[in-house]
Amino acid sequence: MLRFLVASLLMAGAVVSCAPTQQGAAQMVTVTPMLIKVSEGAARGATVTVQGRYLGGPSTGRVRLGANEQGDGGYLFPATAVQSWTDTEIVLTVPSDAPVGASWLFVEVGGKRSTGLPFSVRQ
């Protein structure tokens, strides 16, 4: 019984040490944010929902409407556009100055850029 208890405790410690960490802007982000789904294209002033994993939070992350598939350039959503932000979902309002047209949406957390999803802003 004692061997089982010790083995269980060691295994639990190994599993916890493998978990991804994201504990704030001061600490290095060790996982890459991943986008899973974004709501359909929206007009300026409309609400957009982004779903994913490891999305950080409003103090460590930002949302970019990229100019290309790699996320270079583009438009950075202002903090005022954020309605809510959790590690798995971001709800935004498309600002009135967001560029109209098709592009790619990315989330950047602690300097790491997510996978991108196509998104378009309608007039």
Side-chain angles (χ1 to χ4, degrees), residues 42 50 82 90:
V50 180
V82 177
I90 303 168

Side-chain angles (χ1 to χ4, degrees), residues 43-117:
R44 293 172 173 165
T47 301
V48 175
T49 301
V50 180
Q51 296 175 336
R53 293 201 171 111
Y54 316 118
L55 301 179
S59 63
T60 60
R62 56 190 186 172
V63 179
R64 179 180 301 275
L65 196 55
N68 62 26
E69 206 172 324
Q70 289 75 37
D72 299 325
Y75 173 82
L76 199 59
F77 279 76
T80 55
V82 177
Q83 294 179 18
S84 65
W85 191 318
T86 67
D87 199 42
T88 58
E89 183 177 271
I90 303 168
V91 179
L92 305 156
T93 301
V94 179
S96 60
D97 64 341
V100 174
S103 188
W104 290 83
L105 189 93
F106 296 88
V107 173
E108 299 168 357
V109 180
K112 292 200 177 240
R113 184 176 297 146
S114 71
T115 53
L117 290 175

Side-chain angles (χ1 to χ4, degrees), residues 1-56:
M1 180 70 175
L2 182 58
R3 264 191 253 169
F4 176 76
L5 179 60
V6 171
S8 297
L9 291 173
L10 289 173
M11 186 61 162
V15 170
V16 169
S17 68
C18 293
T21 59
Q22 273 187 335
Q23 297 179 354
Q27 204 172 44
M28 178 189 258
V29 176
T30 59
V31 294
T32 300
M34 180 175 57
L35 299 187
I36 297 171
K37 181 180 177 183
V38 63
S39 52
E40 291 186 22
R44 293 172 173 165
T47 301
V48 175
T49 301
V50 180
Q51 296 175 336
R53 293 201 171 111
Y54 316 118
L55 301 179

